[in-house]
Amino acid sequence: MDLGFFVVSLTLLFNDFERWRQRSTVIRCDNRRAGGKVRAEKNNYYELLGVSVDSNAREIKDAYRKLQKKYHPDIAGQEGHEHTLMLNEAYKVLMKEDMRRHYDASIGQMRVRNGTNYSGVAYSAWKGPLRPQALFVDENACIGCRQCVHHASNTFVMDEALACARVKVQYGDDEQKIEVSVESCPVNCIHWVDREELAVLEFLIQPQPKEAYGVFGGGWERPANVFMAAKSFSKQLKQQAATEHYQTRATREEETPAQAEARANAIRKLKMDRFSRFQNWVKEIFSSNMLSRD
Amino acid sequence: MAEPAYTVASDSDTTGEEKSSSAFPEIAIGIDVGTSQCSVAVWNGSEVVILKNTRNQKKMRSYVTFKDDIPSGGVSHQLSHEHEMLSGAAIFNMKRLIGRVDTDPVVHSSKSLPFLVQTLDIGVRPFIAALVNNVWRSTTPEEVLAIFLVELKAMAEVQLKRPIRNVVLTIPVSFSRFQVTRIERACAMAGLHVLRLMPEPTAVALLYAQQQQQAVHENIGGGAEKIALILNMGAGYCDVAVTATAGGVSQIKALAGSAIGGEDILQNTMHHLLPDLEILFSKHGINEIKSTGLLRVATQDAIHKLSSQTSVQIDVDLGNELKICKVVDQEEFEEVNKNVFEKCESLIIQCLHDAKVQTEDVADIIVVGGCSYIPKLRNLVMSVCKRQELYKGMNPVEAAVCGAALEGAVASGISDPFGSLDLLTIQVTPLAIGIRADGNKFVPVIPRNTTMPTRKELAFTTVHDNQTEALIVVYEGEGEKVEENHLLGYFKIMGIPPAPKGVPEINVCMDIDASNVLRVLAGVVLPGSRHPAIPVMEVRMPTVDDGHGWCVEALHRTYGSGLDLVTIQKKI
């Protein structure tokens, strides 16, 4: 028992160091104590409570109560302490209109930044060699029935926050299992797509922040038809690449006389510098020779 | 986790323990130790039952008589007459005295009780004694409570045919953490382990949550959130809570409480009947004790009668040619106790305000406790909440103990196949906890009504150049100045690297877990550095013991303002 207490206190200490280092408002907690069920990076309040970003106060309350019933130390024992702390923090922020707005802004910006920086790399990993075809779940259509996760648990995972399935590892299970899981989908939302398309599709299916007009129209959205969106997005990407290419070439050609002069000056200065260094070196050798002679 | 080879009982009274790891967890019993009455309940596997003593009583008077060699309490002992309790040999109202120092007004108001409460007014524990064969025999509230708890424990063990160790106790909202440790101490003396201490109205809230849950099961649907206002007023304390209930989860939104209750009403009325009561009683002789005892019983009867009658005739012969013959009507009674009712009203208003709840949003108003029979109190609650009626689904004197028994079952890890135990109370802190800083100010780190478990931190800094030490003095309460709050403990941070004032950052972190154990951590960070400059201090509070009224003065005398701290203004 005393041992248990000791471990708890150490974790507390650990957390505090961690937080002092982080200096952030988000409480970081050591989740190993929460039974490893929660990923350490899961500090997104919406994910933590398992609600969608546009959920209302009542949905948040319901989710909070449901999770409290699972993790509250009265029920889960001392292990639930850290998790409940996070739940309380998340609840407090999301239930207060102004705090939630700030929080949305902070994570919204993060999302937007990621959004414009489309990486071109697919989210799902590959097991074995790359193949021409890849699996993709249309999360708009997915009803969250978990059939695919059940049949091929190494390939598919559930996103509990959004209540839909997603491909984690391409060909994570053997072909037969994957076939069964594709067949088993009641709404046929698992598609075979070209490998080249995969990155765009997986990027677009993630909910993106919607542009708000004052207090209206904010929130999160994803394209209704992800395949159409992918086509137009690819087109945009190509155009963007072309213009970027053009622009870089253009800048190289356009050099004002002032810039040319500056560049010439800089080159001269560099040369001078090199020369002076050489001079100094000669001087040093010379003086040291003198000293040794004395 | 491997079982440690040996365990040492913690120096503090509880061990802050998790539940037992055995396959068949022991169901903790719920005990409601009231100022005047006490009851025990337990979850029997399908419902809560209230245990009865050998005389078939559910409610037992909370007192201990020191007449013979072995003290006996109100559980087993049969009073031959009500007056026997008032002979000087019996100690009662211990809940009003426990954990209080002799400068406390509540202790002073207990001086007219028929046993000895002596104060020196210097901030130490009061001297309490029972009159045994014309000798004042000293005791402590903890001891009295422990004797009483031992009897309760024995009674429950006989009936449940198993040893009892874990208990859930209800406590008043206004109890400081120091008082809580005294209650835990009494339990430890009685061989009981406190699994949870619940503020009384939150136990009622849990019972309410269960009733709502059952109502939802019966008529399908409609599991919407319901807000309830709970007022629990017994003999010693008045507590108010606002709770939001849905799906068996009772989420406490705000708590408020004060040490006023039936005892104050009784004393006000006694003073009204006999204005020079104090003078009469100052001698504390056997005759004086007897006559105040007579007056007490007569007044108590009259107050009980006034709950159903509009006026009452009081006829009592106090001996010494002192007779009281008076008719008291309800209006007079209400006028005499105006201050008590006003205080109740302000508590309700404060609690609603803290919970940010409008009176229209309150679905049910629950009034429980011994004082809930007083018509004035019921009317007052209804008028504040602008309602015509009160919640009827609860027995006013059994609600708290039933809630405690439910919590005992839930916290022991029992589950019920019919979902009757699919319950949870989400508690809040009844009082703010903070430290002394900015001169003599109380700076809360954890504000009042913060959801538990919680962890909060606040940054402070030094007030002198090259200040290497800082004193962290932890208080609990609501006052702006430290003197108005309860001292919980203190410790010194040493080895702060020399720096100009305002540069070192002293982080004070407070952590309260679900079993209400408070830990205070303090560490020093220098700007630019990422790690604490010295090892972090962790202290479990409260650390103060008796006589803590002296400590603050002594600290101040020794250190002055040399080790002070100020809050860091947040940059926005």
Side-chain angles (χ1 to χ4, degrees):
Chain A
M1 304 304 164
D2 282 15
L3 198 64
F5 167 67
F6 187 53
V7 172
V8 171
S9 61
L10 274 186
T11 6
L12 277 177
L13 285 182
F14 174 78
N15 290 340
D16 292 325
F17 286 137
E18 193 69 357
R19 231 147 17 90
W20 279 328
R21 223 147 47 81
Q22 295 282 336
R23 295 258 124 249
S24 65
T25 50
V26 180
I27 291 199
R28 306 195 126 255
C29 286
D30 180 11
N31 289 300
R32 279 171 302 176
R33 291 195 61 79
K37 278 177 196 154
V38 195
R39 282 172 294 140
E41 67 270 26
K42 207 172 185 178
N43 49 15
N44 180 331
Y45 293 157
Y46 291 106
E47 273 182 46
L48 185 74
L49 289 172
V51 293
S52 69
V53 280
D54 55 355
S55 54
N56 59 27
R58 198 186 151 174
E59 284 163 354
I60 293 172
K61 255 186 206 172
D62 285 348
Y64 171 72
R65 291 205 174 106
K66 217 168 271 171
L67 288 167
Q68 278 281 30
K69 268 195 170 174
K70 206 166 147 195
Y71 290 109
H72 194 276
D74 273 2
I75 290 158
Q78 200 62 38
E79 288 80 41
H81 181 61
E82 296 296 337
H83 198 85
T84 314
L85 284 179
M86 289 196 292
L87 284 179
N88 285 344
E89 182 67 24
Y91 180 75
K92 199 179 91 190
V93 170
L94 297 189
M95 285 305 284
K96 284 204 183 124
E97 206 45 59
D98 49 337
M99 284 170 95
R100 183 174 173 181
R101 219 178 297 131
H102 277 144
Y103 179 72
D104 280 351
S106 71
I107 59 161
Q109 275 160 8
M110 198 173 77
R111 289 276 182 122
V112 170
R113 202 172 57 234
N114 288 350
T116 46
N117 287 358
Y118 162 64
S119 60
V121 182
Y123 290 83
S124 53
W126 284 77
K127 189 186 171 199
L130 295 181
R131 303 186 206 192
Q133 294 272 295
L135 280 166
F136 170 70
V137 179
D138 184 359
E139 293 174 26
N140 277 329
C142 178
I143 53 166
C145 69
R146 296 172 185 265
Q147 281 291 335
C148 50
V149 183
H150 177 71
H151 290 296
S153 56
N154 293 326
T155 308
F156 297 96
V157 284
M158 278 301 288
D159 185 339
E160 301 293 345
L162 299 171
C164 57
R166 182 171 298 161
V167 181
K168 182 176 62 175
V169 184
Q170 300 286 350
Y171 301 95
D173 297 89
D174 58 43
E175 310 240 337
Q176 200 191 343
K177 274 189 184 168
I178 289 171
E179 204 146 296
V180 170
S181 60
V182 173
E183 297 282 83
S184 72
C185 180
V187 288
N188 293 327
C189 69
I190 306 172
H191 302 271
W192 286 105
V193 296
D194 287 340
R195 195 180 73 214
E196 288 76 25
E197 287 175 26
L198 188 67
V200 174
L201 285 169
E202 286 190 346
F203 168 68
L204 286 175
I205 202 69
Q206 296 236 323
Q208 299 294 323
K210 233 194 304 192
E211 201 182 337
Y213 302 96
V215 291
F216 300 105
W220 302 78
E221 65 178 352
R222 48 158 79 118
N225 185 337
V226 70
F227 296 101
M228 289 300 285
K231 261 182 201 156
S232 68
F233 187 79
S234 310
K235 211 194 244 171
Q236 270 178 25
L237 277 180
K238 260 178 215 157
Q239 274 177 1
Q240 212 180 330
T243 49
E244 249 172 48
H245 186 64
Y246 173 76
Q247 273 172 357
T248 45
R249 217 189 314 155
T251 46
R252 207 173 296 158
E253 277 166 9
E254 275 177 46
E255 194 181 43
T256 60
Q259 279 173 327
E261 198 191 324
R263 201 149 53 88
N265 278 341
I267 291 166
R268 212 181 307 139
K269 206 175 171 189
L270 273 173
K271 277 182 183 162
M272 288 279 284
D273 200 37
R274 225 178 296 159
F275 180 70
S276 69
R277 225 185 298 156
F278 174 73
Q279 239 178 355
N280 284 346
W281 179 65
V282 170
K283 238 189 246 170
E284 246 170 60
I285 291 179
F286 185 66
S287 58
S288 64
N289 280 353
M290 295 277 280
L291 279 172
S292 59
R293 213 181 292 163
D294 285 343
Chain B
M1 198 197 305
E3 199 70 18
Y6 56 89
T7 48
V8 180
S10 174
D11 189 30
S12 354
D13 301 312
T14 43
T15 38
E17 212 42 41
E18 312 81 67
K19 39 198 77 161
S20 65
S21 52
S22 71
F24 300 102
E26 176 200 327
I27 303 178
I29 60 170
I31 303 179
D32 174 27
V33 202
T35 310
S36 77
Q37 287 187 317
C38 184
S39 51
V40 183
V42 69
W43 177 258
N44 73 352
S46 57
E47 59 178 353
V48 170
V49 284
I50 298 176
L51 302 183
K52 292 177 184 169
N53 67 2
T54 46
R55 299 192 305 284
N56 214 23
Q57 290 173 315
K58 281 182 176 175
K59 290 299 251 182
M60 290 149 273
R61 299 292 295 270
S62 313
Y63 71 95
V64 169
T65 311
F66 288 85
K67 203 162 59 182
D68 310 309
D69 286 343
I70 307 155
S72 59
V75 181
S76 58
H77 184 247
Q78 168 86 59
L79 281 176
S80 56
H81 193 264
E82 182 77 1
H83 299 288
E84 196 189 325
M85 191 176 144
L86 306 166
S87 63
I91 306 267
F92 52 94
N93 275 14
M94 47 248 185
K95 207 170 163 190
R96 293 259 279 192
L97 293 167
I98 197 161
R100 290 189 192 271
V101 290
D102 62 359
T103 46
D104 198 313
V106 178
V107 174
H108 280 259
S109 75
S110 300
K111 278 179 160 180
S112 66
L113 294 174
F115 51 90
L116 190 65
V117 179
Q118 204 179 64
T119 59
L120 295 169
D121 301 323
I122 52 166
V124 292
R125 60 159 65 220
F127 179 80
I128 291 162
L131 191 60
V132 186
N133 301 328
N134 218 14
V135 172
W136 286 114
R137 211 184 112 176
S138 90
T139 181
T140 61
E142 290 89 333
E143 189 186 32
V144 175
L145 190 58
I147 293 166
F148 193 70
L149 285 169
V150 165
E151 289 199 350
L152 283 178
K153 183 185 173 194
M155 177 196 99
E157 281 177 346
V158 167
Q159 290 190 25
L160 301 175
K161 298 177 187 71
R162 64 175 168 94
I164 305 282
R165 190 170 145 66
N166 290 341
V167 289
V168 172
L169 246 73
T170 60
I171 49 163
V173 169
S174 56
F175 258 27
S176 75
R177 276 169 189 275
F178 176 68
Q179 286 178 297
V180 168
T181 62
R182 297 296 91 194
I183 294 273
E184 283 168 350
R185 176 94 202 105
C187 287
M189 284 160 83
L192 294 169
H193 171 245
V194 179
L195 193 64
R196 290 280 185 278
L197 285 169
M198 310 181 86
E200 274 148 25
T202 70
V204 180
L206 188 62
L207 180 66
Y208 176 70
Q210 194 212 22
Q211 291 181 346
Q212 292 307 309
Q213 182 84 323
Q214 275 169 354
V216 169
H217 281 311
E218 276 154 26
N219 38 14
I220 302 110
E225 179 186 81
K226 275 181 127 179
I227 292 174
L229 178 108
I230 298 162
L231 181 118
N232 182 3
M233 189 166 174
Y237 294 88
C238 177
D239 296 329
V240 187
V242 172
T243 172
T245 304
V249 179
S250 148
Q251 201 177 338
I252 308 296
K253 297 198 137 207
L255 290 173
S258 172
I260 50 158
E263 181 64 33
D264 297 281
I265 293 177
L266 181 64
Q267 289 196 7
N268 283 341
T269 317
M270 276 163 68
H271 274 274
H272 176 66
L273 293 172
L274 190 65
D276 49 355
L277 179 73
E278 238 85 88
I279 308 155
L280 177 84
F281 195 60
S282 59
K283 263 169 70 191
H284 258 81
I286 292 183
N287 288 332
E288 284 84 6
I289 289 173
K290 200 178 162 195
S291 46
T292 33
L294 288 168
L295 180 63
R296 210 182 154 84
V297 174
T299 316
Q300 214 157 9
D301 282 348
I303 292 170
H304 288 171
K305 279 182 189 152
L306 277 176
S307 298
S308 51
Q309 297 165 211
T310 49
S311 68
V312 67
Q313 167 81 31
I314 301 166
D315 270 313
V316 59
D317 185 356
L318 299 179
N320 253 348
E321 288 161 18
L322 194 63
K323 272 188 187 167
I324 290 175
C325 197
K326 209 168 183 180
V327 177
V328 177
D329 63 6
Q330 253 182 25
E331 255 173 63
E332 205 177 338
F333 169 74
E334 282 158 20
E335 184 58 33
V336 164
N337 293 299
K338 211 172 149 197
N339 62 337
V340 174
F341 295 124
E342 272 168 6
K343 182 72 194 167
C344 290
E345 190 173 355
S346 72
L347 284 176
I348 300 168
I349 292 166
Q350 185 204 327
C351 198
L352 284 169
H353 176 261
D354 284 353
K356 296 182 188 72
V357 167
Q358 302 298 317
T359 48
E360 307 88 80
D361 302 332
V362 178
D364 282 310
I365 299 156
I366 304 167
V367 181
V368 293
C371 290
S372 65
Y373 294 109
I374 299 174
K376 171 73 183 168
L377 188 73
R378 300 168 73 86
N379 292 337
L380 183 138
V381 181
M382 285 193 279
S383 76
V384 172
C385 300
K386 303 185 188 78
R387 277 319 139 83
Q388 300 307 315
E389 59 180 12
L390 302 172
Y391 186 74
K392 292 198 185 72
M394 276 181 206
N395 180 335
V397 287
E398 290 172 1
V401 75
C402 291
L406 284 174
E407 175 74 10
V410 172
S412 305
I414 312 291
S415 60
D416 179 63
F418 301 107
S420 304
L421 280 184
D422 194 14
L423 302 170
L424 180 67
T425 331
I426 300 172
Q427 299 275 8
V428 296
T429 52
L431 296 167
I433 303 164
I435 68 166
R436 175 180 177 270
D438 301 343
N440 214 23
K441 270 208 221 140
F442 170 69
V443 179
V445 176
I446 298 179
R448 177 179 66 192
N449 294 326
T450 303
T451 310
M452 290 199 282
T454 185
R455 184 183 296 151
K456 295 258 150 105
E457 68 168 45
L458 210 60
F460 297 87
T461 189
T462 51
V463 289
H464 301 287
D465 289 338
N466 299 327
Q467 183 180 340
T468 55
E469 297 184 337
L471 205 55
I472 309 274
V473 191
V474 181
Y475 286 92
E476 181 183 41
E478 292 306 317
E480 277 191 16
K481 287 191 182 138
V482 287
E483 304 90 63
E484 298 159 18
N485 300 297
H486 306 281
L487 177 73
L488 293 184
Y490 38 82
F491 58 94
K492 197 162 74 170
I493 301 183
M494 297 185 294
I496 303 172
K501 65 180 175 193
V503 171
E505 199 175 288
I506 294 144
N507 275 285
V508 177
C509 175
M510 295 191 179
D511 179 285
I512 302 176
D513 70 10
S515 42
N516 206 9
V517 175
L518 170 69
R519 288 194 186 85
V520 180
L521 295 106
V524 183
V525 188
L526 284 178
S529 147
R530 304 190 134 210
H531 295 284
I534 50 165
V536 172
M537 303 271 284
E538 189 198 306
V539 183
R540 209 163 126 185
M541 296 272 170
T543 54
V544 286
D545 212 324
D546 292 320
H548 54 262
W550 290 73
C551 298
V552 179
E553 268 178 50
L555 283 173
H556 191 72
R557 208 165 42 236
T558 314
Y559 296 106
S561 65
L563 309 183
D564 273 12
L565 289 173
V566 288
T567 43
I568 292 179
Q569 294 303 316
K570 273 239 176 96
K571 286 158 231 142
I572 303 159

